[in-house]
Amino acid sequence: MRSDLTARARIRDAALARFGADGIAGTSVRAIAADAGVSAALVVHHFGSKEGLRQECDEHVLAGMRSAEGAELGDLLRAATPVRRYLARALLDGSESASALFDEIVTRTEKWLADGEVEGWVRPTEDSRARAVTYVSWLLAPLVLGEQVGRLLGGDPAETATAVRGARAGLEMLTHGLFADDRWLSEFTKIETR
């Protein structure tokens, strides 16, 4: 329940939602304070500045990713809508912090896929880093292109139903393959070896 949260957590959650909707530059401390039901002075007291609050949001997103292992996928998706919006906007706005978030997601994904190779449910690759970067990019693209993806899929890609629809299509392609032969792989391999 929202009222059960501490003032600090309410401010952070309000900032996640506002930053996700309006971006860092388009969000004021006063708007966050109003959304959290506190004064702007209390926001500054807890976080020092809007930048300090943004750093807290980044840490919250990273902590959520780190603690998500072993959780039920459906529960994670339902709880993550504001976080997905925040992450998309942070990546679009660009910052050292957004780059650090992306780097950590890629590093964690690279390890997860490498573990999957060892366990036998991921096919081996010659370039594990490129695979992880590409996989993460595919996962984040619907969020970054939210307006266009949502228009064609009929819903906000940060919302669970649309996220699941897009993810299922992507996972189907990754699991069963998209192409029936290797013509495109062969063409790109030729370019790479020239």
Side-chain angles (χ1 to χ4, degrees), residues 74 77-79 81 84 156-165:
L77 287 172
R78 282 185 285 281
T81 298
R84 287 195 300 264
D156 181 347
E159 296 288 341
T160 302
T162 308
V164 168
R165 182 179 179 199

Side-chain angles (χ1 to χ4, degrees), residues 169-183:
L171 287 168
E172 183 179 290
M173 286 189 293
L174 290 170
T175 302
H176 301 296
L178 177 63
F179 299 115
D181 61 42
D182 69 350
R183 76 184 75 186

Side-chain angles (χ1 to χ4, degrees), residues 20-105:
D22 301 331
I24 308 294
T27 299
S28 70
V29 170
R30 288 185 192 276
I32 294 167
D35 291 351
V38 300
S39 69
L42 189 60
V43 174
V44 173
H45 169 75
H46 279 296
F47 300 100
S49 65
K50 184 167 72 168
E51 178 62 22
L53 181 51
R54 186 200 52 75
Q55 288 174 354
E56 177 77 14
C57 289
D58 287 350
E59 283 303 314
H60 179 70
V61 169
L62 287 172
M65 288 171 34
R66 291 172 186 140
S67 68
E69 291 174 19
E72 290 293 320
L73 180 60
D75 292 340
L76 285 174
L77 287 172
R78 282 185 285 281
T81 298
V83 171
R84 287 195 300 264
R85 284 191 185 120
Y86 173 81
L87 183 57
R89 197 57 194 245
L91 292 169
L92 280 173
D93 288 349
S95 68
E96 281 185 37
S97 185
S99 294
L101 277 169
F102 187 80
D103 291 354
E104 176 144 352
I105 293 168

